[in-house]
Amino acid sequence: MAERKHTLSVLVENTPGALARIAGLFSGRGFNIDSLCVAETLDPTLSHLTLVTYGDDQIIEQILKQLRRLVDVYKVVDVTEEGEFVEREMALIKVRAEKETRAEVLRMCDIFRCKVVDVSPRTYTIEVTGPQSKLEAVIELLKPIGIKEIVRTGVIAMKRERKSP
Amino acid sequence: MGKTMTGAQIIVESLKREGVEVIFGYPGGAVIDIYDELYKTPEIKHVLVRHEQGAAHAADGFARSTGKVGVCLVTSGPGATNTVTGIATAYMDSIPVVILTGQVPTKLIGNDAFQEVDITGITRPCTKHNFLVKRTEDLPRILKAAFHIARTGRPGPVLVDLPKDVQQGKAEFHWPEEIRLRSYNPVYDPHPRQVERAYRLLESATRPVILVGGGVISSGAHEEVRELAEGLHLPVTRTLMGLGGFPGTHPQSLGMLGMHGTYYANMAVANSDLILAVGARFDDRVTGKVDAFAPMAKIIHIDIDPTSIQKNVRVDVPIVGDCKRALEKLLQIVTEVARPEKIWKEQFKEWWEQIEIWKKRYPLSYKQEGETIKPQYVIEKLYELTKGKAIISTEVGQNQMWTAQYYKFDQPRTLITSGGLGTMGFGFPAAIGAQMGNPDKLVIDVAGDGSIQMNIQEMATAMDQGLPIKIIILNNGYLGMVRQWQELFYERRYSAVKFQVIPDFVKLAEAYGALGLRATKVDEVEPVLKQALESKRLTLVDIHIAPEEGVFPMVPAGRATTEMILV
Ligand SMILES: Cc1cc2nc3c(=O)[nH]c(=O)nc-3n(C[C@H](O)[C@H](O)[C@H](O)COP(=O)(O)OP(=O)(O)OC[C@H]3O[C@@H](n4cnc5c(N)ncnc54)[C@H](O)[C@@H]3O)c2cc1C
Ligand SMILES: Cc1ncc(C[n+]2csc(CCOP(=O)(O)OP(=O)(O)O)c2C)c(N)n1
């Protein structure tokens, strides 16, 4: 069976053990985590977690069931299976920017609508936001110039509302 | 307005409200306040064990034999870590237990304080849920939730960690009569359409088998299984954990299936065209090589835990819900459709003829040789003398498998055995729990000479409580089950399976003040067992059995269940 990437949206009780339980579930059962993003929701007693994982259909089914089985887990949605969704990730990229490359980096920022958020004589720090594919494109293009450091947030996602009423 | 109480008082009061009659435990500095309250609470009986592992297994044995939640209380640090094997044992077999552990004061948590251990962290993967209580006023709500979570849905152990300052602090006591956890809602009622589909598959089947698992015992669905099997003339096989979920002496019983199951149960399952699995989780000891498991069968799977379904085998009709309710629904359809019994019988006539051939070809058997005692004979005699009415706990290994094969188990909750984790040293402390919960019943631990030594210190506990448990050691002088694997698969290289020193078990029993008996020849077995069963005291029987007797049939690990080694 083919492995596929799935983005899961999980609402959990905002209790101290909840995140550890989810992380432990993935490591204990040998499931994969590509990225994990956690934050509060409008309801302060619940946290929202976006989790990107991959596996064949049977494994994804087990992951969903195992997550739902946790006493602290309120709701699990496999966003990938729910139709269209918006997916965003942010990265901060510190790129080498010396005399000859400074202009080129700025040009690239312009094309991809990235922001320069920190400047030093030898580096620019760039903020880039978008779907994962965009982040990867930017990173690939900056690599030959010289990336010194990258920090990524991991993906967050939200289901799209239907356009017609 | 609730009464103002200390945390320790609230804990004990909450246990009373939950109807707790007995606690198995061991004191220490971090729970001394709770012990002080227990001192003043004669309604709750405390059983002081000799090792906290024993307390956890005893609470588990109490739960398995009574269907109630077992409770265990231990101190922080080493007291808590000593229960971990017991917790994991209960977790693997889905047994409802609440473990209360002391903890260092909240201010000191994380400081490597004296006897501090992160027990909620340690037990996260082997509890159904756990709690660290941070405030005294949260105690009633959390304790109520702990019992609720332990006993509902797929049961399991729940640990509550109780920092010392939470026990000593004060709060108003409010007992929540109702509990609702928005994130925890087990599904009991099956989907009606799925049950209908299941019925239709039964109508069109020609070679069906019911597979009874531990879920039948925990949901109390044994009567429904029987009614369905008898009404539709279906053969029934049972997992180790399902023994007693359908009477072993019933003419439609095929006995246990799997690695050490009967030839005919494994053949029937392998050749079936429909399996109705009720509260069983298709463990690898049951399926053998999964790809070769019941290749022609459609599978209907009733289980309260969706993760059990479709985990190891593909399922055609998943039914998420309680076994009892699902079978009730199914029986309702059977009644409504009112297909004449004759038709059902006719439909499975050929199938039963085939099963009878398998049954005759290889029944369970062993060879009596001279004066040596065969373990199978001991269990057969035990069954005969107790008329199958005892509660039997087992240790792990060959002793466990011979018991599963030769003691027929007609009633639910009469076999207390560690199936999923296979914990040596479980049987005897579990028997203590079972005897505490069933003071009027005969409780027997069938043991190996290896396993019994893992928690033999609990003999003192049984003596303290005046429990007339019978320990039957099938003494082969080996770690027999491992030896059997070495014999069959490692060219008899008997590595580390023979103890140089085995204690004189009879003297050991006497040292504890118990009765010790021994049998070394076959004709001594019956009189010695009789004497033991008549004894009103804790009694240990050391039975010297044929040292290299094996458990057969046997499906080698990872092979198809039809590839059995027969003798
Ligand atoms: C040495 C050794 C040898 C063994 N050999 C064998 C062997 O030959 N054959 C064998 O069968 N086993 C054998 N076992 C045991 C094996 O390891 C498993 O423990 C056992 O097969 C599991 O039984 P089960 O499928 O009934 O599941 P259990 O572990 O009893 O699980 C119960 C299932 O029922 C569900 N359930 C619980 N409550 C309810 C409810 N109210 N309604 C619906 N569903 C519910 C649970 O979600 C779970 O899926 C052996 C063990 C040892 C140690
Ligand atoms: C705590 C623990 N340690 C190790 C094992 C591995 N093991 C399984 S069966 C067995 C041998 C058991 O020997 P004994 O209790 O004498 O019983 P027998 O098989 O001889 O009946 C061992 C060591 C286990 N199941 N549990």
Side-chain angles (χ1 to χ4, degrees):
Chain A
M1 252 188 285
E3 291 204 342
R4 242 177 10 120
K5 204 159 167 180
H6 285 248
T7 305
L8 312 184
S9 166
V10 186
L11 278 173
V12 297
E13 299 289 342
N14 191 1
T15 53
L19 186 59
R21 236 176 271 281
I22 290 173
L25 173 71
F26 275 75
S27 62
R29 295 192 182 265
F31 300 145
N32 307 298
I33 301 188
D34 262 6
S35 72
L36 179 64
C37 239
V38 195
E40 233 181 52
T41 61
L42 279 178
D43 175 353
T45 65
L46 288 174
S47 302
H48 183 270
L49 209 135
T50 311
L51 202 152
V52 180
T53 182
Y54 57 92
D56 63 31
D57 289 353
Q58 202 202 342
I59 288 178
I60 298 296
E61 183 183 330
Q62 265 299 311
I63 291 175
L64 294 170
K65 286 174 167 179
Q66 292 286 357
L67 281 170
R68 288 184 181 122
R69 181 159 88 136
L70 295 177
V71 171
D72 279 335
V73 169
Y74 179 62
K75 195 170 177 204
V76 184
V77 177
D78 183 352
V79 182
T80 310
E81 295 295 316
E82 291 277 301
E84 296 207 1
F85 62 99
V86 195
E87 173 203 274
R88 286 292 177 274
E89 182 174 359
M90 187 176 99
L92 294 174
I93 306 170
K94 193 177 285 171
V95 62
R96 190 163 288 142
E98 303 186 13
K99 289 177 210 90
E100 61 279 15
T101 56
R102 276 179 104 80
E104 193 187 340
V105 171
L106 286 181
R107 212 166 32 247
M108 217 111 78
C109 284
D110 206 32
I111 297 169
F112 283 99
R113 286 196 227 139
C114 309
K115 265 192 271 178
V116 176
V117 290
D118 188 39
V119 182
S120 80
R122 317 192 117 195
T123 62
Y124 278 142
T125 299
I126 294 166
E127 173 195 316
V128 46
T129 306
Q132 261 194 331
S133 52
K134 171 174 164 185
L135 264 65
E136 259 131 45
V138 173
I139 291 165
E140 278 315 305
L141 287 168
L142 290 176
K143 259 187 195 160
I145 302 174
I147 294 178
K148 295 189 72 170
E149 199 181 337
I150 296 187
V151 178
R152 297 171 66 159
T153 58
V155 171
I156 54 170
M158 198 176 262
K159 189 174 171 251
R160 278 189 200 277
E161 284 300 307
R162 267 182 302 175
K163 295 287 182 292
S164 50
Chain B
M1 270 276 290
K3 207 170 134 200
T4 301
M5 298 183 179
T6 66
Q9 285 169 336
I10 292 176
I11 292 164
V12 172
E13 183 59 31
S14 302
L15 295 177
K16 280 204 277 185
R17 301 281 176 116
E18 275 296 328
V20 174
E21 304 145 29
V22 50
I23 297 181
F24 303 89
Y26 208 90
V31 284
I32 199 161
D33 292 273
I34 302 174
Y35 271 91
D36 191 48
E37 285 310 314
L38 284 175
Y39 187 82
K40 306 169 202 159
T41 313
E43 305 94 287
I44 298 182
K45 167 111 192 120
H46 179 267
V47 176
L48 177 62
V49 296
R50 294 301 185 273
H51 185 301
E52 290 90 348
Q53 185 186 353
H57 289 326
D60 176 326
F62 176 88
R64 290 184 203 235
S65 63
T66 62
K68 300 176 194 161
V69 179
V71 181
C72 149
L73 169 64
V74 298
T75 193
S76 66
T81 52
N82 270 348
T83 63
V84 172
T85 301
I87 296 171
T89 303
Y91 182 69
M92 287 296 278
D93 291 341
S94 310
I95 306 302
V97 181
V98 168
I99 305 95
L100 305 173
T101 51
Q103 181 57 281
V104 302
T106 43
K107 280 192 306 294
L108 292 183
I109 289 178
N111 280 2
D112 301 323
F114 175 64
Q115 295 197 327
E116 180 191 355
V117 71
D118 174 13
I119 196 65
T120 49
I122 289 173
T123 59
R124 213 169 270 132
C126 62
T127 48
K128 180 169 172 186
H129 197 61
N130 62 25
F131 297 94
L132 168 62
V133 185
K134 293 267 184 66
R135 299 180 312 182
T136 305
E137 62 262 38
D138 292 340
L139 281 166
R141 181 181 56 78
I142 289 182
L143 287 166
K144 174 98 183 175
F147 279 85
H148 173 69
I149 292 168
R151 76 160 75 85
T152 52
R154 177 178 186 166
V158 177
L159 182 140
V160 185
D161 203 16
L162 302 160
K164 185 150 171 148
D165 55 326
V166 171
Q167 299 171 38
Q168 290 177 332
K170 286 198 169 153
E172 266 180 40
F173 178 76
H174 294 283
W175 183 246
E177 291 300 334
E178 288 285 304
I179 179 130
R180 234 190 63 81
L181 301 168
R182 64 177 166 186
S183 298
Y184 172 73
N185 299 296
V187 175
Y188 280 80
D189 285 314
H191 198 293
R193 195 163 332 122
Q194 295 298 82
V195 182
E196 264 173 53
R197 283 180 61 204
Y199 175 78
R200 253 176 273 125
L201 283 184
L202 282 164
E203 262 198 1
S204 58
T206 56
R207 302 184 309 279
V209 180
I210 301 183
L211 197 171
V212 166
V216 168
I217 313 260
S218 74
S219 93
H222 47 285
E223 292 296 343
E224 286 74 13
V225 169
R226 187 187 173 127
E227 203 179 317
L228 186 73
E230 288 180 349
L232 275 56
H233 291 269
L234 304 169
V236 183
T237 181
R238 308 168 298 173
T239 66
L240 179 67
M241 302 314 291
L243 296 181
F246 183 77
T249 50
H250 196 287
Q252 284 164 248
S253 170
L254 306 181
M256 184 171 82
L257 82 164
M259 180 177 275
H260 291 296
T262 61
Y263 170 78
Y264 38 97
N266 282 335
M267 290 305 283
V269 167
N271 289 283
S272 66
D273 68 348
L274 180 65
I275 295 174
L276 171 58
V278 193
R281 58 185 172 82
F282 294 97
D283 184 83
D284 47 87
R285 298 257 144 151
V286 165
T287 59
K289 186 178 167 196
V290 178
D291 303 330
F293 178 74
M296 292 166 280
K298 287 216 159 70
I299 298 179
I300 304 166
H301 192 175
I302 305 173
D303 203 294
I304 202 155
D305 181 356
T307 66
S308 285
I309 297 177
Q310 210 84 267
K311 178 159 73 180
N312 302 329
V313 297
R314 35 137 212 98
V315 168
D316 299 275
V317 181
I319 303 181
V320 176
D322 175 52
C323 296
K324 194 175 167 83
R325 294 204 197 169
L327 290 179
E328 278 168 2
K329 272 262 157 351
L330 190 56
L331 284 164
Q332 206 178 318
I333 301 178
V334 170
T335 312
E336 279 163 19
V337 177
R339 211 160 167 250
E341 201 186 319
K342 226 174 51 206
I343 299 193
W344 287 110
K345 200 167 181 176
E346 191 56 37
Q347 184 173 332
F348 306 135
K349 188 163 164 280
E350 273 175 45
W351 181 224
W352 271 110
E353 284 165 6
Q354 176 59 60
I355 289 172
E356 292 306 330
I357 292 172
W358 286 324
K359 274 189 166 180
K360 288 214 184 68
R361 188 178 300 158
Y362 293 112
L364 279 178
S365 69
Y366 62 94
K367 278 200 229 39
Q368 187 53 52
E369 289 155 337
E371 293 195 317
T372 51
I373 303 174
K374 287 298 176 88
Q376 301 91 334
Y377 170 77
V378 178
I379 305 296
E380 274 181 349
K381 272 286 158 227
L382 200 59
Y383 179 78
E384 211 179 289
L385 294 171
T386 58
K387 302 185 181 68
K389 294 220 159 63
I391 295 178
I392 307 276
S393 72
T394 76
E395 300 295 341
V396 166
Q398 294 183 311
N399 59 85
Q400 180 183 30
M401 291 298 109
W402 288 318
T403 306
Q405 292 178 334
Y406 287 88
Y407 201 94
K408 311 269 187 339
F409 296 107
D410 284 334
Q411 295 292 326
R413 302 197 182 281
T414 52
L415 172 63
I416 313 290
T417 196
S418 166
L421 201 66
T423 308
M424 290 173 68
F426 167 79
F428 181 49
I432 291 177
Q435 186 78 80
M436 287 303 298
N438 301 269
D440 301 328
K441 291 214 176 124
L442 179 60
V443 177
I444 300 173
D445 174 36
V446 177
D449 49 301
S451 300
I452 193 63
Q453 294 187 67
M454 283 210 177
N455 274 316
I456 196 144
Q457 77 286 349
E458 300 305 330
M459 285 190 77
T461 308
M463 287 303 293
D464 268 354
Q465 303 296 330
L467 303 179
I469 298 167
K470 319 292 182 255
I471 304 170
I472 313 287
I473 302 179
L474 301 177
N475 187 344
N476 51 15
Y478 281 112
L479 296 173
M481 185 55 96
V482 180
R483 185 208 59 76
Q484 176 171 346
W485 283 49
Q486 291 173 344
E487 175 189 339
L488 295 173
F489 313 117
Y490 293 85
E491 294 156 337
R492 301 183 70 96
R493 287 187 297 277
Y494 288 173
S495 177
V497 288
K498 197 157 177 68
F499 293 128
Q500 295 309 311
V501 173
I502 297 179
D504 181 332
F505 287 115
V506 172
K507 282 196 187 146
L508 191 62
E510 286 164 359
Y512 279 108
L515 174 64
L517 301 170
R518 178 170 289 130
T520 56
K521 296 196 190 91
V522 69
D523 53 6
E524 293 166 359
V525 171
E526 192 164 342
V528 158
L529 285 181
K530 274 189 177 150
Q531 196 185 342
L533 295 175
E534 277 158 19
S535 152
K536 299 274 181 288
R537 300 200 268 158
L538 176 64
T539 301
L540 180 153
V541 191
D542 180 22
I543 302 189
H544 290 211
I545 59 164
E548 300 205 12
E549 185 70 12
V551 179
F552 296 106
M554 175 174 196
V555 179
R559 300 281 275 281
T561 51
T562 46
E563 298 178 57
M564 286 166 271
I565 306 173
L566 287 161
V567 175

